Amino acid sequence: MVRHYISTQDFPKEELLRLIELIGLLKRADKEGACPKLLAGASLGMIFEEPSTRTRVSFEVAMTKLGGHAIYMRPGEIHMGVRESISDTAKVVSRMVDVIEARTLKHQTVVDLARFSTVPVFNGLTDFNHPTQVLCDVFTMLEHAPAGKKLEEFNVTFVGDATNVCNSLMMICTHLGMSFTHAAPKAYQISDSTKAIGRANCEKSGGRLTVTDDVNAAVADADFIYTDLWWWVGQESEIPDRTKAFMPKFQVNAALLAKAPKYAKVMHCLPASRGVEATDEVLDSAQSIIFDQAENRLHTEKALLVYFVYPRLKQAPQALVQHHEGLVEAFLNA
Ligand code: CP
């Protein structure tokens, strides 16, 4: 059976922790200029229905560093969803590549791609979640863990709109037994159905989930304060209402950061609207770890690619390769 990476909910805690450990191994190898070429000759198909900087660059560079090759299929450049069904696209592309990464407008599209693909499919962000981002985020938190604290003791506070990243971060944190707080105006809080996933996670993991509009209380014991855009493409008409709801109370600025512990770190998945959901002063402060987070996307994608693709690659013995080379050379020389 082919395994896909569509949601962190599909994996037990131990497996997510193992993936996070693998990110560390591959980051250390990279820092020593010794990234293993474990995916030599393999291909990654990258389908993007929306623009991307980090996801696109990190997956393409990761594949190159591992010895493979990535093909970028930009919005509107392939037939999927227009002249060709999602199922046919999945069946065709997966006969040619070893793994597919897809950023899709609708979550159901990536689910359908996975259903019909014969190779692993990675969710590169949908309107519901962003599992590659949040695996990277937990790794980044561990790199910046407050002294003496274990993962299960981390307090993560997300300030702002209940975005796909917010949903995903809530799911991975509660799954791993951490405390997660979402601080937002009532109309922009995590939906009841998504909260139900988090509450079920907490029952199993011992984690905690709080959703509140009291942002000062939410940051008071935060180890990590995370924020994201207040609006996305297609929500432009809502900008006045959203600005009114979030500004200034839910902006991550120096005044809000002063209410958190001094060791609290600031995170943002990026891109950021500087001066909107967070100020320059905070994003560029010593407490900000946003660029470590961005770099760690690269190491995370390497770990995901190796973990899902390497065990599936056929490793033909050199003698077999030479045998086929000989057959083709003999044919061409006949
Ligand atoms: N954080 C993130 O996914 O960034 P991109 O939209 O640039 O890929």
Side-chain angles (χ1 to χ4, degrees):
M1 199 184 78
V2 188
R3 296 185 82 205
H4 306 285
Y5 188 73
I6 303 297
S7 166
T8 54
Q9 289 295 117
D10 301 334
F11 299 86
K13 173 179 175 175
E14 295 68 32
E15 196 168 13
L16 292 174
L17 293 177
R18 212 168 130 68
L19 270 167
I20 288 166
E21 212 180 316
L22 185 57
I23 300 172
L25 275 180
L26 286 158
K27 182 168 182 175
R28 280 193 293 281
D30 211 329
K31 294 291 173 194
E32 292 174 16
C35 183
K37 307 279 182 206
L38 289 168
L39 301 187
S43 293
L44 161 69
M46 305 193 298
I47 297 172
F48 281 88
E49 291 188 333
E50 282 194 297
S52 162
T53 300
R54 279 141 292 270
T55 308
R56 188 232 164 134
V57 175
S58 60
F59 266 108
E60 186 160 341
V61 174
M63 202 60 187
T64 306
K65 283 189 174 237
L66 292 166
H69 170 72
I71 303 154
Y72 176 58
M73 291 168 264
R74 72 175 70 237
E77 207 177 69
I78 56 169
H79 299 300
M80 185 178 84
V82 184
R83 277 177 295 275
E84 190 159 49
S85 67
I86 294 164
S87 58
D88 282 357
T89 303
K91 287 173 191 171
V92 170
V93 176
S94 63
R95 283 196 180 212
M96 299 183 191
V97 302
D98 301 283
V99 54
I100 294 171
E101 176 277 332
R103 169 168 290 193
T104 61
L105 294 165
K106 294 196 179 102
H107 188 71
Q108 191 57 43
T109 304
V110 81
V111 171
D112 289 342
L113 273 171
R115 187 168 152 223
F116 294 102
S117 170
T118 52
V119 299
V121 172
F122 297 160
N123 173 354
L125 181 137
T126 70
D127 58 351
F128 175 60
N129 67 349
H130 199 358
T132 59
Q133 176 69 54
V134 297
L135 192 68
C136 158
D137 294 338
V138 175
F139 173 77
T140 309
M141 287 176 199
L142 283 163
E143 286 189 316
H144 293 277
K149 273 203 176 185
K150 290 191 298 200
L151 180 79
E152 290 80 1
E153 294 164 342
F154 291 178
N155 294 318
V156 179
T157 294
F158 187 100
V159 180
D161 190 23
T163 58
N164 35 24
V165 172
C166 175
N167 285 340
S168 244
L169 194 66
M170 183 279 286
M171 287 189 272
I172 196 166
C173 288
T174 54
H175 194 25
L176 296 179
M178 300 152 74
S179 292
F180 182 89
T181 301
H182 181 210
K186 284 194 168 35
Y188 298 95
Q189 292 175 351
I190 295 177
S191 70
D192 287 344
S193 58
T194 309
K195 262 190 288 190
I197 300 172
R199 299 221 189 285
N201 282 348
C202 290
E203 273 179 32
K204 283 192 211 142
S205 69
R208 273 187 304 148
L209 172 60
T210 307
V211 180
T212 179
D213 60 359
D214 185 348
V215 69
N216 294 339
V219 300
D221 64 351
D223 299 308
F224 300 96
I225 299 171
Y226 200 124
T227 189
D228 190 5
L229 296 168
W230 286 347
W231 52 81
W232 190 243
V233 181
Q235 291 176 323
E236 290 81 2
S237 64
E238 298 177 33
I239 292 175
D241 284 348
R242 285 172 173 263
T243 306
K244 202 168 149 205
F246 287 107
M247 193 73 101
K249 195 173 152 192
F250 295 92
Q251 185 187 57
V252 179
N253 53 31
L256 185 66
L257 202 54
K259 295 182 175 125
K262 289 210 174 353
Y263 55 79
K265 301 288 187 235
V266 173
M267 301 182 75
H268 193 309
C269 52
L270 303 179
S273 275
R274 284 173 170 263
V276 181
E277 71 273 9
T279 57
D280 286 344
E281 190 183 8
V282 164
L283 291 172
D284 297 326
S285 72
Q287 282 173 266
S288 168
I289 55 172
I290 61 173
F291 295 113
D292 287 350
Q293 237 185 306
E295 179 197 321
N296 284 338
R297 288 296 303 276
L298 169 63
H299 309 299
T300 303
E301 320 314 16
K302 281 184 293 177
L304 287 166
L305 287 162
V306 164
Y307 191 77
F308 285 85
V309 181
Y310 177 74
R312 297 171 50 85
L313 291 181
K314 286 198 176 73
Q315 309 286 347
Q318 198 52 33
L320 184 59
V321 176
Q322 281 167 353
H323 167 72
H324 284 288
E325 256 177 35
L327 290 178
V328 175
E329 277 171 358
F331 175 86
L332 293 172
N333 292 330

